[in-house]
Amino acid sequence: MESGVPICNICGEQVGLANNNGEVFVACHECNYPVCKTCIDYEIKEGRNTCLRCATPYDENEQESTNHAIVASHPDTAQDAGVHARTVSFVSTVDSEYHDDTGNPIWKNRVESWKEKKNKKKKNQSKAVVQEAAEVPPEQQMEEKPQLADAAEPLSRIIPVPKSQITPYRIVIIVRLIVLCFFFHYRVTHPVESAYPLWFTSVFCEIWFAFSWVLDQFPKWSPINRETYLDRLSARYEREGEPCQLAPVDFFVSTVDPMKEPPLITANTVLSILAVDYPVEKVSCYVSDDGGSMLTFESLAETSEFARKWVPFCKKFSIEPRAPEFYFTQKFDYLKDKVQPSFVKERRAMKREYEEYKVRVNALVAKAQKTPEDGWTMADGTPWPGNNPRDHPGMIQVFLGHSGVHDIEGNELPRLVYVSREKRPGYQHHKKAGAENALIRVSAVLTNAPYILNLDCDHYVNNSKAIREAMCFLMDPQVGRDVCYVQFPQRFDGIDKSDRYANRNIVFFDVNMKGLDGIQGPVYVGTGTVFNRQALYGYSPSNLPTIHKSSSSFSCCCRRKKPAKEKDLTEVYREAKREDLNSAIFNLREIENYDDHERSLLISQMSFEKTFGMSSVFIESTLMENGGVPDSANPSTLIREAIHVIGCGYEEKTAWGKEIGWIYGSVTEDILTGFKMQCRGWRSIYCMPLRPAFKGSAPINLSDRLHQVLRWALGSVEIFLSRHCPLWYGFGGGRLKWLQRLAYTNTIVYPFTSLPLIAYCILPAVCLLTGKFIIPTLSNVASILFLGLFLSIIVTSVLELRWSGIGIEDWWRNEQFWVIGGVSAHLFAVFQGFLKMLAGIDTNFTVTTKAADDGEFADLYLFKWTTVLIPPTTILIVNLVGVVAGFSDALNKGYEAWGPLFGKVFFSFWVILHLYPFLKGLMGRQNRTPTIVVLWSVLLASVFSLVWVKINPFVSKDDPSAMVQNCIDMDC
C-alpha cells in the first residue's frame, strides 16, 4: 500500500502500469476502482463488461477519461463538492489518491506531498518491482490464468427459497389479510348488546393482534439462504509462497462479575478464540473486565500459560470445538476421522493438563470468596489497583503476542490483552455499551484490525472456521462494500430436550432473521457479530447514492426542525470536514513543515477531536481503512495512549455513544446500534454455517428466563420512548427500507402487546363466570369468516415451517412462551420503562434463590420467587376457576346450557394450554408435585363449585326468572 501502486480488489496483486503512458493502470475512470488489466480481461471474457463498483461499461471509459478528469478537478460549487464527497469506506487511503471522488484538488496534492516526504525510497523500489512484473513472459502469464480464474469467483452466493414454497406462502398471507378485513367488518358491525364492555374489549385486543401480526409477518416476505466458499477465499488471499492477505480481526470478550460469570467459562471462550483456524498474526483477543477484578486478571494469566499447550494441540489434530470444557465433555466418537496414532496419547495428556488447569482456576475462585480487609495484593506486594470496582485507574496487560511468548512447539500465539477501563465516581459508564466502546479505542491504538468480532463471555467459538465464513462476505469486493456486520445465529448448550421455555429461540433465528436477510439484513443481537470497524465509526458506506437536496441529514433528522435546504447543507458541511481532515491527518507529526495554506487544513482536526476525542493516534487510525497501526505512532508510547483512551472522561463532549460506537440510551444497545448503522445506508448479512459458529449458555429455569426477557423488553420500551424510535427516526436520508423499518418497529412495539394479551386471556374466565360471551350468535356468513380465519392462520404456520425447516415442536414452544412472556415480563417492562423514562424511577425486581436439585438439568427445576410470576399465576387461577364454575353452572341449568359453554371453555382451555409450561415451572420437577398442592387444589375447586351452584352471584336479583330459578334451586 505504501508503494503508491494500488492493489487489485479481485486478485490481490498490484494493479501495474498502463502500456501507453507508463502511469498506473486505471480500469474505470468513473470511480477509479482498483482492478488490474488481467482481471478486466477475464471479466470481459466472462460477459461482465461493467465496473464492479459503479456499473459503468468498460468500453466507454477511454472516451470519458479526459472529460472526467477535467470535471473532477474543477467543482462548480462548494456544495457540489460536499455532496459528492466520498465517505470513508473499504478503499485504502493510498487508493484515494487515484479516486478523487470529492473533486477537491487539496486532497490529491496534500497526499502527494506527504508521500514525497515519507515514502520516496519505497516508491522507487515498488516501481522497479512493478516494471519487472510487467516483463513477465506471455507463456508464464497464460499458466497463471486458471489460478486467477478460481480466485476471481465470488466467495458466496444467495440461495433463494424455492418458488414452490415461497409463492403459496405469500398468497396465503394476502388471503389472510383480506379475511382479516372482512372479519373486523363483521365484528365491528355486530356488537353484543348484552355484554357491550366485553365485546368492545375483545374487538380492541383483536385489532391490536392483527397490527402486531402485520409488523411481524411482512418483513418475512423475501427470506433467503446463503452459501459460502471457503476454498475460494483461501485461493484468493492465501496463495502458496506469498504473504497471507486475510484481514486481521480483533475479538472482544466482555465480563463484569467473576462470581456471576465464572472465570472458567470466560477462559474457555478465550481459549477457543486463541485456537481459531485463522493466521495467528491476524488474531487479537481483548478481554474487558468491567469489574476490575483481580480474579479475572489472575485467571487470564493462568489461561495464557495453558494456551501454550492447548492451541498447538487443537491445530495439530483439527479438533472441534476448541473450548476444552465443551470438547472433553461432549459425547461422541472422538476417534472419528483421526488418523495419527499419537492422537489418543496426546489427548489423554491434554485432558490431564486441563484438569490440573481447572484445579488452579478453581483455587483462585475459592480464594476470592473472602476479600482481605486491606484489599488484594499482587505478586510484587503492590495493592491491586481495582480493589474499589467503582474507583480505579485504567489497566491494560498484554499476556500473549507482544512479549514474544510462543507455544510449546515454538510457534507464535495470537495476542491476548486484558483491559479494565477507568472508573471514577460521578461519571456515567454506560455498562456494556461503554465497555465495548473502550475496547474499540484500545484495539484501534494497539492493533487496529479492520474487523471486530464481539462475544459474550459465555459464548465460545464452536466452529473454528467461523471467521473465514464471515470474511467470505466482508472481503468480497462485490458484496462487502456496504456490509456493516455479519450476524451469526445464537445456539446454546445445556438446554433440556423439550426446550420448555423456548431458550433456543429457533423461530426468531431461523425464520425472522432469514426474512430480514432478504431486505437490508438481520438486526444486531449483541453477540456473535463481525463488524466493519469503519461502520462503528459512524461513516457511511462507499457506494451510498448521492443525497438529493430534498433529503435531510441522518444525524439531524430528529433534532430541532430546520428547512430542508438547511439540513442538506449541514450534511454537506459535515462530509466536507471529513475530507479536509483526510488531507491533514497524515501530517499531525510534521506541523512545523507546513506552510500557511497547509496549516489552515488542520482546522478540521478540531471537529474530529469533538467527534472521536483528544487522541491524535486514535484519530489517525480511524482513517486507515485496511487496518494497521499508523507509521507515525511511537511503539514505546502505545500502551500509554491506550490507557489514555479508556479514561472515564475521554468520551465527554464527544460523539461516542451518540453517533459512533455502541449507542447509549437503552439496555438493548445492540438493537439501537444496528438500527443506526442501517439508517446510514449500511446493510448486514446473516451467516448460518452447517456447524454452528458460536455456542453459549442460556438461563433455563423459569425465573431467570423471564428476567432475561424482561431486560430485552425494557430496552425496547426505552428505544420507543427515545428520539431513536423507528416510528419517526431516520426518515431524512431515505436509506432504511420500509420493510426493514417495519421490522424495527416490531422490535420496539411488541412489549405493549402485553396489555391487550392479558385482557384477552382474562376474558374467557369472565365470560364463564358471568354467563356472557364476546361473540353474538353466529350466522352462516359469520361462521365462514371464522373458519376462514382459523384455516389461514394454520396454513400460514404450516407453510412457514416448510420453507424455514424448523420443527412443529419448536414453533409451538415459541407460541407458548410468547403468551407466558407477554403476560409477565413484557407487562413489567412497559411499566418499568415508563417509570424510568418519564419519572426517573429505576425499579428492580429482585429474585430470591433457593437450592436446586442435583441432576443434569437441575437449573430447570430451580424455583426462584419473583414478582414477575404474579400476573400469569393469577390468569391461570382465574381460568381454572372459570372452567369449574362454567361446568357447575351447565350442570345446574341443564342440557340447553352446554352449547354456549363449549365456545367459552374452548377459549379458556386455549389460555391454559399456552400457560402449561409456566404451570410446570411452578410445580417444579416432573412427577414430584407436592401432594399438599394437589389436595388443596381439589378441595378448593369442590368447595367453590358447591358455593357457585347455590349462590350464583352474577345473576341480577331484579330478574324474576332468575329469582324463580333460585327458589327452585333452594326448594323455597
Side-chain angles (χ1 to χ4, degrees):
M1 186 176 69
E2 295 176 351
S3 65
V5 179
I7 302 299
C8 175
N9 276 275
I10 294 181
C11 63
E13 301 290 343
Q14 289 184 328
V15 169
L17 304 178
N19 296 328
N20 51 357
N21 51 14
E23 296 181 355
V24 175
F25 175 75
V26 179
C28 176
H29 292 277
E30 183 67 26
C31 66
N32 293 318
Y33 190 57
V35 181
C36 65
K37 190 176 186 304
T38 306
C39 291
I40 290 297
D41 294 339
Y42 177 79
E43 291 290 312
I44 295 176
K45 181 179 178 181
E46 292 294 319
R48 297 184 289 268
N49 58 351
T50 59
C51 177
L52 297 177
R53 168 175 288 182
C54 65
T56 302
Y58 288 130
D59 55 357
E60 298 178 2
N61 292 336
E62 296 297 330
Q63 300 175 6
E64 299 179 0
S65 58
T66 306
N67 296 333
H68 178 74
I70 297 175
V71 174
S73 60
H74 296 85
D76 295 336
T77 61
Q79 179 176 342
D80 293 338
V83 168
H84 294 86
R86 82 166 180 88
T87 52
V88 176
S89 61
F90 287 77
V91 186
S92 69
T93 52
V94 176
D95 296 341
S96 301
E97 176 190 9
Y98 305 100
H99 290 185
D100 197 17
D101 288 343
T102 63
N104 192 342
I106 297 178
W107 163 246
K108 184 174 181 179
N109 296 335
R110 191 66 200 93
V111 176
E112 286 179 349
S113 64
W114 175 69
K115 287 181 187 177
E116 290 174 0
K117 294 178 182 178
K118 303 293 291 184
N119 297 322
K120 188 173 182 180
K121 293 183 179 180
K122 294 182 179 180
K123 262 191 171 183
N124 296 333
Q125 295 175 358
S126 176
K127 286 183 178 179
V129 171
V130 173
Q131 290 176 357
E132 291 178 3
E135 297 174 359
V136 176
E139 306 85 37
Q140 185 174 349
Q141 294 181 4
M142 292 295 293
E143 292 177 358
E144 295 178 354
K145 278 189 177 181
Q147 182 180 1
L148 179 62
D150 294 337
E153 292 291 330
L155 304 179
S156 64
R157 72 183 181 101
I158 295 176
I159 306 176
V161 177
K163 291 184 178 180
S164 60
Q165 296 178 1
I166 197 64
T167 302
Y169 179 66
R170 293 172 177 171
I171 292 174
V172 173
I173 291 175
I174 299 300
V175 171
R176 182 175 173 181
L177 188 63
I178 295 173
V179 172
L180 271 175
C181 295
F182 284 105
F183 172 78
F184 285 122
H185 178 267
Y186 170 81
R187 293 285 282 132
V188 172
T189 56
H190 291 77
V192 181
E193 300 294 343
S194 59
Y196 193 85
L198 297 179
W199 167 84
F200 179 80
T201 303
S202 65
V203 171
F204 175 80
C205 295
E206 290 162 2
I207 292 175
W208 180 268
F209 295 151
F211 171 71
S212 300
W213 171 76
V214 170
L215 292 180
D216 180 70
Q217 188 69 68
F218 279 89
K220 297 182 285 189
W221 186 262
S222 302
I224 61 172
N225 298 295
R226 295 182 185 270
E227 184 180 24
T228 56
Y229 303 104
L230 300 184
D231 53 341
R232 296 178 183 176
L233 180 74
S234 298
R236 182 177 299 185
Y237 297 108
E238 293 181 292
R239 296 183 179 179
E240 186 176 355
E242 298 181 9
C244 177
Q245 299 296 325
L246 289 175
V249 180
D250 289 338
F251 289 76
F252 292 174
V253 179
S254 302
T255 183
V256 180
D257 188 348
M259 295 303 172
K260 295 181 180 179
E261 301 166 337
L264 194 61
I265 299 298
T266 304
N268 271 270
T269 300
V270 172
L271 289 170
S272 68
I273 293 173
L274 298 178
V276 72
D277 184 8
Y278 208 71
V280 293
E281 69 276 7
K282 307 286 186 178
V283 176
S284 300
C285 179
Y286 294 84
V287 180
S288 171
D289 177 20
D290 219 30
S293 172
M294 188 174 178
L295 172 58
T296 303
F297 180 86
E298 291 185 335
S299 65
L300 274 185
E302 291 286 350
T303 302
S304 63
E305 287 298 318
F306 179 71
R308 299 179 62 245
K309 305 172 184 177
W310 174 250
V311 172
F313 171 77
C314 294
K315 295 188 175 182
K316 180 178 180 180
F317 299 107
S318 301
I319 67 169
E320 296 284 1
R322 300 189 177 182
E325 181 69 22
F326 301 95
Y327 171 71
F328 289 121
T329 57
Q330 62 184 349
K331 299 177 182 179
F332 78 111
D333 182 12
Y334 61 83
L335 295 177
K336 184 178 180 181
D337 300 329
K338 297 296 184 291
V339 295
Q340 299 188 35
S342 62
F343 170 67
V344 175
K345 182 179 179 180
E346 293 192 33
R347 184 183 185 276
R348 291 173 181 171
M350 183 54 59
K351 188 173 183 180
R352 188 165 52 251
E353 292 281 354
Y354 178 64
E355 295 297 333
E356 295 175 358
Y357 161 75
K358 286 176 64 176
V359 171
R360 294 193 298 269
V361 174
N362 289 332
L364 294 175
V365 175
K367 179 182 177 182
Q369 297 292 332
K370 186 177 181 180
T371 306
E373 294 182 359
D374 298 332
W376 298 106
T377 304
M378 294 188 292
D380 58 357
T382 58
W384 171 248
N387 279 323
N388 186 346
R390 298 182 179 180
D391 187 3
H392 65 81
M395 295 177 283
I396 295 178
Q397 175 66 43
V398 181
F399 285 107
L400 297 175
H402 178 70
S403 58
V405 178
H406 294 77
D407 61 27
I408 57 175
E409 297 182 356
N411 299 318
E412 185 181 355
L413 286 169
R415 181 175 299 220
L416 175 61
V417 184
Y418 169 87
V419 179
S420 182
R421 57 180 174 144
E422 183 183 15
K423 293 285 187 70
R424 299 298 180 193
Y427 287 92
Q428 179 62 261
H429 300 293
H430 302 290
K431 300 182 180 179
K432 180 183 177 181
E436 295 286 352
N437 285 338
L439 288 181
I440 293 178
R441 299 191 293 271
V442 168
S443 62
V445 172
L446 298 181
T447 53
N448 195 34
Y451 302 109
I452 295 171
L453 191 153
N454 80 299
L455 291 172
D456 290 341
C457 63
D458 59 346
H459 275 69
Y460 64 92
V461 181
N462 183 64
N463 183 349
S464 62
K465 297 183 183 295
I467 312 305
R468 296 177 179 270
E469 297 275 355
M471 292 300 115
C472 286
F473 303 107
L474 294 171
M475 296 190 68
D476 192 334
Q478 301 183 36
V479 178
R481 290 171 293 162
D482 58 348
V483 175
C484 55
Y485 59 83
V486 175
Q487 178 67 61
F488 291 89
Q490 293 185 19
R491 304 298 189 216
F492 301 98
D493 289 319
I495 298 177
D496 61 305
K497 185 177 181 181
S498 63
D499 192 14
R500 182 185 297 178
Y501 307 122
N503 281 281
R504 295 189 178 94
N505 216 350
I506 295 295
V507 173
F508 174 76
F509 287 112
D510 288 27
V511 179
N512 296 54
M513 297 286 268
K514 284 184 180 180
L516 291 177
D517 199 18
I519 310 173
Q520 201 171 340
V523 298
Y524 169 40
V525 296
T527 184
T529 314
V530 184
F531 283 97
N532 173 10
R533 186 184 286 267
Q534 294 295 319
L536 286 171
Y537 288 155
Y539 295 145
S540 301
S542 59
N543 61 346
L544 189 69
T546 303
I547 302 175
H548 301 289
K549 295 183 178 181
S550 60
S551 302
S552 60
S553 169
F554 164 75
S555 61
C556 303
C557 60
C558 288
R559 299 179 182 175
R560 62 182 183 275
K561 294 183 178 180
K562 296 181 181 180
K565 185 175 180 180
E566 186 176 356
K567 289 184 179 180
D568 187 57
L569 291 176
T570 305
E571 176 73 12
V572 171
Y573 180 65
R574 183 179 177 185
E575 296 293 317
K577 288 198 297 184
R578 287 177 179 170
E579 291 301 314
D580 288 344
L581 182 64
N582 289 355
S583 307
I585 195 67
F586 292 103
N587 296 300
L588 293 178
R589 308 293 182 183
E590 304 174 357
I591 300 178
E592 66 277 2
N593 298 329
Y594 285 3
D595 54 27
D596 293 338
H597 176 67
E598 291 172 334
R599 288 193 182 96
S600 64
L601 296 176
L602 292 178
I603 298 175
S604 60
Q605 180 185 352
M606 299 174 59
S607 65
F608 258 55
E609 289 177 348
K610 291 179 180 178
T611 302
F612 293 112
M614 301 291 292
S615 173
S616 59
V617 176
F618 176 74
I619 293 175
E620 189 169 355
S621 71
T622 63
L623 298 174
M624 303 184 67
E625 300 153 48
N626 291 332
V629 180
D631 293 336
S632 58
N634 186 351
S636 62
T637 62
L638 285 182
I639 294 294
R640 186 186 308 168
E641 191 69 22
I643 292 289
H644 168 62
V645 298
I646 60 173
C648 57
Y650 183 84
E651 294 183 355
E652 286 194 342
K653 298 181 180 180
T654 65
W656 284 102
K658 302 172 185 175
E659 296 295 332
I660 61 176
W662 270 258
I663 306 301
Y664 304 149
S666 172
V667 294
T668 53
E669 72 286 334
D670 47 2
I671 298 292
L672 194 55
T673 302
F675 172 66
K676 294 267 289 187
M677 289 182 182
Q678 294 187 340
C679 281
R680 296 188 184 103
W682 294 95
R683 66 187 181 98
S684 55
I685 283 179
Y686 197 49
C687 182
M688 296 182 63
L690 294 178
R691 180 179 179 85
F694 310 100
K695 279 190 174 182
S697 57
I700 64 173
N701 71 72
L702 178 61
S703 304
D704 288 346
R705 173 65 167 144
L706 288 178
H707 274 265
Q708 182 188 57
V709 174
L710 170 61
R711 184 174 67 253
W712 295 342
L714 176 60
S716 296
V717 175
E718 290 174 341
I719 296 175
F720 177 81
L721 298 175
S722 71
R723 74 183 186 94
H724 294 118
C725 178
L727 291 175
W728 52 74
Y729 184 81
F731 280 96
R735 301 166 186 172
L736 191 68
K737 296 183 179 180
W738 280 101
L739 285 180
Q740 194 79 9
R741 185 178 299 278
L742 211 63
Y744 275 111
T745 303
N746 186 42
T747 62
I748 57 103
V749 168
Y750 77 91
F752 297 96
T753 306
S754 60
L755 299 175
L757 183 60
I758 286 180
Y760 211 72
C761 288
I762 295 177
L763 278 177
V766 175
C767 292
L768 287 169
L769 293 173
T770 60
K772 309 295 184 182
F773 200 37
I774 58 177
I775 300 175
T777 303
L778 296 180
S779 62
N780 293 334
V781 176
S783 301
I784 294 175
L785 284 176
F786 275 87
L787 182 62
L789 180 60
F790 284 119
L791 286 178
S792 64
I793 293 174
I794 294 173
V795 174
T796 303
S797 302
V798 170
L799 292 176
E800 196 168 274
L801 295 178
R802 186 185 176 196
W803 67 253
S804 64
I806 67 173
I808 189 170
E809 183 179 6
D810 292 316
W811 174 84
W812 175 239
R813 290 297 185 214
N814 181 79
E815 292 296 311
Q816 286 180 313
F817 200 79
W818 175 75
V819 176
I820 295 172
V823 299
S824 57
H826 297 173
L827 176 68
F828 278 77
V830 170
F831 286 108
Q832 186 177 354
F834 275 97
L835 287 175
K836 181 178 180 180
M837 302 300 294
L838 301 181
I841 302 174
D842 193 359
T843 306
N844 293 319
F845 302 101
T846 58
V847 178
T848 302
T849 306
K850 297 183 180 179
D853 298 325
D854 296 330
E856 183 179 1
F857 298 109
D859 286 344
L860 179 65
Y861 312 108
L862 184 68
F863 182 78
K864 303 177 182 180
W865 175 253
T866 170
T867 50
V868 180
L869 303 177
I870 294 177
T873 305
T874 304
I875 292 175
L876 262 176
I877 294 175
V878 169
N879 277 277
L880 289 172
V881 169
V883 170
V884 173
F887 277 102
S888 301
D889 191 51
L891 289 171
N892 185 44
K893 290 184 177 180
Y895 177 79
E896 67 278 0
W898 287 95
L901 176 67
F902 176 77
K904 303 173 187 177
V905 171
F906 172 79
F907 286 108
S908 191
F909 270 116
W910 179 89
V911 175
I912 296 172
L913 193 61
H914 278 77
L915 292 176
Y916 177 68
F918 176 82
L919 180 61
K920 291 182 67 176
L922 291 180
M923 295 297 102
R925 183 181 291 274
Q926 284 180 321
N927 302 325
R928 289 187 56 181
T929 303
T931 306
I932 190 66
V933 173
V934 178
L935 292 177
W936 273 106
S937 300
V938 174
L939 179 61
L940 289 176
S942 302
V943 171
F944 186 84
S945 299
L946 293 174
V947 172
W948 183 268
V949 170
K950 292 299 179 183
I951 298 177
N952 206 359
F954 287 93
V955 177
S956 175
K957 302 303 180 182
D958 299 331
D959 188 354
S961 62
M963 293 295 294
V964 172
Q965 180 67 34
N966 286 337
C967 288
I968 294 174
D969 292 341
M970 301 179 67
D971 297 329
C972 57

